[in-house]
Amino acid sequence: MLRKSGFIVVFILLVGAMAACSSNDNEESSAEQSGEETEAPEENTENQENKDSVENETNEQETEEEGNEEENTEDQEPAYYIDEETAAIHPIDDADENVVLLTIDDAPDEYALEMAETLQEKDAKAIFFVNGHFIEDEEGQEALKTIHEMGFPIGNHTYSHPVIPEIPEDEQTEEIVSLNDKIEEIIGERPQFFRAPHGANSDHSREVVKEEGMVLMNWTYGFDYFEEYQDADKLKEALISGEAPEIDINYSLLQPGANLLMHDREWTNEALGDVIDGLRDQGYEIADPNLIETLE
């Protein structure tokens, strides 16, 4: 009986030992699995950090390239100059002569931002000639900032759009200089181009423009201020062809170096994209006004 009892005790101890070993093995296996799972997130974190680092480097490179493109444009030597007598744009040295210059007056009224977006979509540039009464409120100032930040040069078109020769000289000075001050206050730069309302200058205004370091500019042709061309389809045809038979211009004013006048108007806004395409179809490139020789 004692032997049998002893055997039972020994058997129970052996079973207990085997159970303990099995438990230890399971714990070690569980610990190993737990360790592997702990290491996996660390690897994922490292991979994510590497991915983020690559993306950051790519973004920094793209930003740097965009900045370099802007600097390159600014650093380029002038390729064109404005003939003050004819308002045409002429090449310097071997620059392409088959170009036309686009200019937009009375900005930013109602459609200037849309026109700027159309130009940007078409990869075309223009000078926006600004009036002071359009940038007195916050909305106008924000529109001006946006147009400038899109890379379009800002020109001076006087503060309140008077007929310059009909006002006293001190008012002529105020109309030009006060607008330069206002524009500089908003975008941090003074305009480098001036266009008088109605193309009417005086000897005094010319002198003020020169003292302010601006290029005086009129235009070679433009039709959107005539009642007969206050229609997008008619205006488009006239600007592309250079002809305006409704106002007795039965010959084409379109030629290399043409300086096209447009305004911040609904019908001009509607026609703009087609005008750009039509001019290019005839072999003309849209000149970059940032490459025009200035006085500063």
Side-chain angles (χ1 to χ4, degrees), residues 218-236:
N218 277 330
W219 61 89
T220 59
Y221 73 87
F223 308 119
D224 66 352
Y225 52 98
F226 291 99
E227 185 177 353
E228 294 85 348
Y229 292 98
Q230 293 178 7
D231 171 86
D233 290 332
K234 288 184 177 180
L235 177 62
K236 173 180 67 176

Side-chain angles (χ1 to χ4, degrees), residues 96 98-103 119 122 124-126 220-221 223 235-243 252-262 271-287:
D96 185 4
N98 289 318
V99 298
V100 294
L101 177 64
L102 304 183
T103 61
L119 287 160
K122 297 289 184 179
K125 294 287 187 182
T220 59
Y221 73 87
F223 308 119
L235 177 62
K236 173 180 67 176
E237 184 177 347
L239 289 175
I240 293 172
S241 68
E243 298 179 10
S252 179
L253 296 172
L254 176 61
Q255 58 185 347
N259 186 334
L260 276 64
L261 168 66
M262 294 180 283
L272 181 57
D274 289 336
V275 169
I276 294 169
D277 292 340
L279 292 169
R280 284 174 169 164
D281 288 343
Q282 296 188 75
Y284 290 96
E285 289 298 321
I286 309 302

Side-chain angles (χ1 to χ4, degrees), residues 172-233:
Q172 294 179 30
T173 301
E174 180 68 14
E175 283 284 340
I176 297 168
V177 177
S178 65
L179 180 55
N180 276 353
D181 293 341
K182 184 72 173 178
I183 290 173
E184 183 178 26
E185 178 186 328
I186 296 169
I187 66 172
E189 295 179 10
R190 296 178 81 78
Q192 294 186 313
F193 302 101
F194 174 79
R195 173 173 284 158
H198 317 288
N201 285 285
S202 68
D203 291 340
H204 180 72
S205 70
R206 290 177 183 274
E207 188 61 31
V208 174
V209 168
K210 184 177 179 180
E211 290 172 357
E212 285 289 298
M214 293 186 288
V215 174
L216 189 145
M217 183 187 298
N218 277 330
W219 61 89
T220 59
Y221 73 87
F223 308 119
D224 66 352
Y225 52 98
F226 291 99
E227 185 177 353
E228 294 85 348
Y229 292 98
Q230 293 178 7
D231 171 86
D233 290 332

Side-chain angles (χ1 to χ4, degrees), residues 15-52:
V15 170
M18 290 174 64
C21 288
S22 175
S23 175
N24 288 339
D25 289 342
N26 290 337
E27 287 176 3
E28 288 176 3
S29 175
S30 176
E32 287 175 0
Q33 291 178 1
S34 176
E36 288 174 1
E37 291 174 359
T38 303
E39 288 174 4
E42 289 179 0
E43 289 178 3
N44 291 338
T45 302
E46 289 177 2
N47 290 337
Q48 185 62 44
E49 288 175 353
N50 290 337
K51 183 178 179 181
D52 291 343

